[in-house]
Amino acid sequence: YIRYIQNDQIISSPPSTLSPALVGVLMKENISSRAIAATLIDLAQRGVIEIYNKEADFSFIKKGNLSLDETDLVHNKNIQKFELLLLSKIFSGRNFKTTQEDIAYRIGHRLFSDKIARAYQEIYREIFNLGYFNDNPKSIHDKYKYWGLLTMLVGFLGVLVSAVFTPDPKFLSLFWVGMMLIGELIVKYSANMPTLSEIGKQEAKKWQAFKNYLSTTTPLKDVDTRELEKYLSYAVVMGVEKDWIARFRESSYMTPDWFGSSKTNRLDIVSFSRELLPLVDWVSGSLDQAKTPVL
């Protein structure tokens, strides 16, 4: 996490209604597979989909009359566009159910996915439109990446020219090699270039205070365990899901209605997390790899 948004305060509820994916961009200034994982859990918690785990396989099930048509505003009024794009990549046409095999096929039969690329663009567009960034973070990161690649290319050409035309010892080659290394560093850290506005920094500090609440070690006793699933998506996108789940270790836990397992109708909190988290990590990681190279 970025140094200038650190905050030692603790608040016990989200400071705003930002979706987990947007919170992830706000806190890290780039999109990772965790944003997708958090979105899937959030969609399940909101009753849009159900998740069923069956040993080495799993299924996602659409609920209600959810339409995957981007122009169908009547049926999709409670779904954000980037969420709809992710769902349309997971589900095929009018099918209400998709399996691990189906998802693997839909991702694997094409090298890159335009829908995932557009979903990422929508996330960046939404967070920028809220005024939390001085510019679209993707545009800034791409600009730094471009200059980094250009610096590497110039350095590489300089090495070739000095190797052919400069006399021995070819000390000038060290300069060009250094330029290549600098370009590589620019490319490597281009996604970490700060772009938050002052409003964005203040909002990120508030979410940092909520992250502190999720990750504190104090057990939660005699609380409604539905709070766990309510905030689980935020814990996932901020990387503190293990800490958040551990806070309920002394509570009596009921498996949420949106998650099913072939092992039993009721899972304890440890079994629930061990079945759910690897599943959504696999899906989100696979979808993230399907984005176009420019992202």
Side-chain angles (χ1 to χ4, degrees), residues 177-198:
V177 170
M179 180 175 287
M180 290 176 62
L181 293 175
I182 291 173
E184 183 179 1
L185 289 173
I186 294 174
V187 171
K188 181 178 180 180
Y189 294 105
S190 60
N192 297 323
M193 296 300 178
T195 56
L196 281 177
S197 65
E198 288 302 317

Side-chain angles (χ1 to χ4, degrees), residues 104-250:
Y105 172 77
R106 288 180 59 76
I107 294 174
H109 82 287
R110 294 181 61 185
L111 185 58
F112 302 114
S113 170
D114 177 66
K115 288 182 179 178
I116 301 302
R118 290 171 58 204
Y120 276 46
Q121 291 167 357
E122 278 298 312
I123 294 173
Y124 280 127
R125 184 188 63 80
E126 287 195 26
I127 194 71
F128 172 65
N129 287 344
L130 290 172
Y132 294 149
F133 287 86
N134 293 315
D135 198 352
N136 187 310
K138 177 188 176 300
S139 300
I140 294 179
H141 297 158
D142 284 351
K143 186 183 299 183
Y144 277 105
K145 183 181 293 184
Y146 167 80
W147 284 109
L149 291 171
L150 183 61
T151 302
M152 290 177 64
L153 177 61
V154 172
F156 176 73
L157 294 175
V159 170
L160 294 180
V161 171
S162 62
V164 175
F165 296 104
T166 60
D168 294 330
K170 301 182 183 297
F171 292 123
L172 185 60
S173 297
L174 296 176
F175 169 79
W176 298 114
V177 170
M179 180 175 287
M180 290 176 62
L181 293 175
I182 291 173
E184 183 179 1
L185 289 173
I186 294 174
V187 171
K188 181 178 180 180
Y189 294 105
S190 60
N192 297 323
M193 296 300 178
T195 56
L196 281 177
S197 65
E198 288 302 317
I199 296 176
K201 291 176 183 177
Q202 294 304 314
E203 181 70 11
K205 284 183 178 180
K206 296 176 184 177
W207 281 99
Q208 176 64 40
F210 181 55
K211 175 185 176 243
N212 294 340
Y213 168 73
L214 297 176
S215 58
T216 186
T217 58
T218 306
L220 290 171
K221 302 178 182 178
D222 301 322
V223 297
D224 188 343
T225 54
R226 285 178 296 183
E227 186 173 329
L228 182 148
E229 60 177 280
K230 183 179 179 182
Y231 297 151
L232 182 58
S233 56
Y234 290 114
V236 167
V237 82
M238 291 190 280
V240 295
E241 67 276 10
K242 292 181 180 178
D243 297 326
W244 176 236
I245 291 170
R247 297 196 64 189
F248 290 83
R249 61 186 179 272
E250 298 181 17

Side-chain angles (χ1 to χ4, degrees), residues 4 15 24 55 69-70 75 88 97 139 153 177 221 269 282:
Y4 55 73
E55 298 297 335
D69 184 354
E70 296 177 39
H75 293 112
S88 64
K97 178 181 177 182
S139 300
L153 177 61
V177 170
K221 302 178 182 178
I269 191 168
W282 181 87

